Amino acid sequence: MTLLRYFQDTEGLRPDLQTVAADDETLRRQEVEAALAGGGAVFITRPLSGLADAYALDAVTGLIDVGGNLEALIRVGQPSGEVPELPRPANQELIPGLRLLGY
């Protein structure tokens, strides 16, 4: 959150984003669920026990070095069984049983 807040304060970037620092796992889970229930987009920077069992998680960036600790920005969303739209469909069977749908 520190890096995002820095860019909001110094560069005026993405003032629409609300940051929530919640070190306690119970509080962090409540904040995630409240934001999702309100229709907001939710991103987390560290793992949260049991979250992957209830929601779909997508890594949206590479790793971020925060004070020597690597973290990933992870998008939390509702589970979906839909196949996402593929920008470059390939539909090729690379080897038997492995089909490249797109990239």
Side-chain angles (χ1 to χ4, degrees):
M1 294 299 110
T2 303
L3 184 59
L4 177 56
R5 288 178 180 165
Y6 171 81
F7 285 119
Q8 285 178 321
D9 292 343
T10 62
E11 303 296 323
L13 297 174
R14 296 304 306 261
D16 57 307
L17 295 180
Q18 177 186 3
T19 62
V20 177
D23 289 328
D24 178 73
E25 280 203 9
T26 302
L27 176 60
R28 200 160 65 243
R29 180 68 182 251
Q30 291 171 349
E31 293 287 345
V32 166
E33 290 180 354
L36 287 171
V42 176
F43 297 85
I44 58 174
T45 58
R46 59 181 134 159
L48 185 55
S49 299
L51 201 64
D53 296 331
Y55 299 100
L57 306 179
D58 295 322
V60 293
T61 67
L63 295 176
I64 304 165
D65 186 347
V66 179
N69 298 311
L70 293 177
E71 295 182 353
L73 185 60
I74 302 167
R75 180 178 44 231
V76 180
Q78 297 296 335
S80 173
E82 296 178 19
V83 176
E85 183 178 323
L86 302 170
R88 295 185 177 90
N91 199 21
Q92 297 177 8
E93 188 166 3
L94 303 175
I95 58 174
L98 178 64
R99 179 172 296 282
L100 174 63
L101 298 177
Y103 61 97

